[in-house]
Amino acid sequence: MTSTAYKSISRAAKILSCLSDGRNSVTEIARYCELSKSTVSRLLSALEQSNLAIRDPLHRQYFLGYLLNRLVANPKTTHLNLITLSVGEMNHLSKICGETVVLDVLIGIRNVRLHLIPSVHDIRVYDENYDLTSLNFQGAAIKALLSQLDRRELASVINYLMAENTTGNSAPGKTAIITQLNQIRQQGYAMSRGERIAGAVAISAAIQGYHLPAALTVLGVQSRLEPRTAELLPEIIASARRISNNLLH
C-alpha cells in the first residue's frame, strides 16, 4: 500500500469515527481531524458514493451510511470468501453423514456461526444459544477455535473468561485448558460429547490460512454419530484441509 493510499484510508477512518461520535458537519470534522474543509468534503463525497456515509442536504450534515450499518449488524457479510470456499465441502460432509454441518469463526471473544447445513434427520441437534456475546470452554467447535490462538492471545482469553464466568458452572483450571488445547492444536481436531447439549456429539476440525480462527464441525445425535466417528473423522479433517489449501492459493 502506498503512503498516499494509507493516508486517505486513515483520514476516512477518522471521519467515520467523527460521524459515529455525532460530529456531522464538514466544519466540525475538519476542526477535529485537523484537516482542510476541502479535504474533508472530498473524502465525505467518496464515502457517500460508497454508501458508507449519507448526506442530509437540508442541514448539510453527514451520517453513517446504510452499508456500514449493515456490515456492523451482520459480521457474516465480511466473511463471504470463507463461506464460499467452504460450502462445497460442507455439502460433501452433509451428504455422507446426514448430520448438521457448521462453519464458525472466532471474532475477539465471540464465536460466530457463519453457515449451517441442517441434519436430514427428523431428530437433530440444534444449539440455539451458540452464537453468544462471549465464549466458554464447552464444545468441540469452540475448542478447535481457541486452539488456533498463539500463547499470548490464549492466555489473555482464558484469564478474561475465567474472570467473567458468572454462569455458576465449574470450569477446568487454566493448566488443564491449555494442555487440552495444545493437544487439539497438534492433532488438528476436537471432539465433544454432551458438553453443550446432552446426548450430542460434535467433531470439529481447524481451518488454517484464514485471518481469524475458523473451524468446520459436524454435530449430531450421539447414538447416530458416535458409532461413525472412525469413518467420519478423516473426512472432516480432509474437508477442513482442502478449505485451508484453497485459502492459501
Side-chain angles (χ1 to χ4, degrees):
M1 181 183 295
T2 65
S3 59
T4 301
Y6 176 82
K7 185 181 295 184
S8 296
I9 293 173
S10 178
R11 288 174 172 176
K14 287 182 179 180
I15 290 174
L16 290 173
S17 180
C18 284
L19 297 180
S20 176
D21 292 337
R23 299 181 182 90
N24 304 106
S25 71
V26 172
T27 301
E28 287 179 302
I29 296 170
R31 184 185 304 117
Y32 184 82
C33 295
E34 298 181 343
L35 298 170
S36 67
K37 290 183 181 180
S38 61
T39 297
V40 171
S41 295
R42 175 175 54 80
L43 289 171
L44 280 170
S45 178
L47 291 171
E48 185 180 8
Q49 292 177 28
S50 302
N51 295 316
L52 293 172
I54 57 176
R55 181 174 179 267
D56 175 4
L58 183 62
H59 299 94
R60 297 182 180 180
Q61 290 186 326
Y62 289 83
F63 301 90
L64 293 176
Y66 79 89
L67 178 58
L68 188 62
N69 292 330
R70 190 180 74 181
L71 292 174
V72 172
N74 183 10
K76 297 178 184 180
T77 60
T78 63
H79 304 284
L80 290 178
N81 181 53
L82 175 61
I83 295 172
T84 300
L85 292 176
S86 303
V87 165
E89 294 297 336
M90 295 177 72
N91 286 329
H92 166 70
L93 292 175
S94 177
K95 288 179 182 178
I96 65 175
C97 71
E99 303 293 349
T100 300
V101 184
V102 295
L103 174 68
D104 302 308
V105 293
L106 181 65
I107 303 177
I109 58 167
R110 182 184 177 195
N111 46 270
V112 176
R113 183 145 289 171
L114 296 182
H115 191 61
L116 180 148
I117 299 177
S119 169
V120 299
H121 301 286
D122 292 333
I123 299 177
R124 65 187 68 171
V125 175
Y126 178 69
D127 188 354
E128 61 182 6
N129 296 317
Y130 181 86
D131 200 2
L132 304 174
T133 56
S134 61
L135 294 168
N136 56 43
F137 299 112
Q138 296 177 320
I142 291 172
K143 292 176 181 178
L145 293 170
L146 290 174
S147 72
Q148 299 175 58
L149 298 178
D150 62 33
R151 183 179 302 177
R152 180 184 58 80
E153 292 170 332
L154 182 58
S156 297
V157 169
I158 291 175
N159 289 336
Y160 176 83
L161 295 181
M162 284 185 164
E164 293 294 314
N165 182 19
T166 58
T167 63
N169 297 328
S170 59
K174 183 175 181 178
T175 301
I177 293 171
I178 292 176
T179 299
Q180 184 180 33
L181 293 179
N182 283 337
Q183 180 180 354
I184 292 170
R185 183 184 298 111
Q186 292 176 0
Q187 63 192 22
Y189 70 90
M191 290 186 60
S192 62
R193 297 174 178 84
E195 290 186 11
R196 294 182 61 86
I197 303 174
V201 167
I203 308 170
S204 183
I207 295 174
Q208 307 293 335
Y210 198 56
H211 65 277
L212 293 172
L216 184 65
T217 304
V218 170
L219 178 66
V221 176
Q222 186 169 358
S223 60
R224 286 197 308 257
L225 185 54
E226 191 162 33
R228 301 185 63 191
T229 297
E231 168 198 353
L232 295 175
L233 179 58
E235 293 283 353
I236 298 168
I237 293 174
S239 285
R241 184 177 296 119
R242 284 191 288 268
I243 296 171
S244 301
N245 289 338
N246 288 334
L247 284 167
L248 294 172
H249 292 89

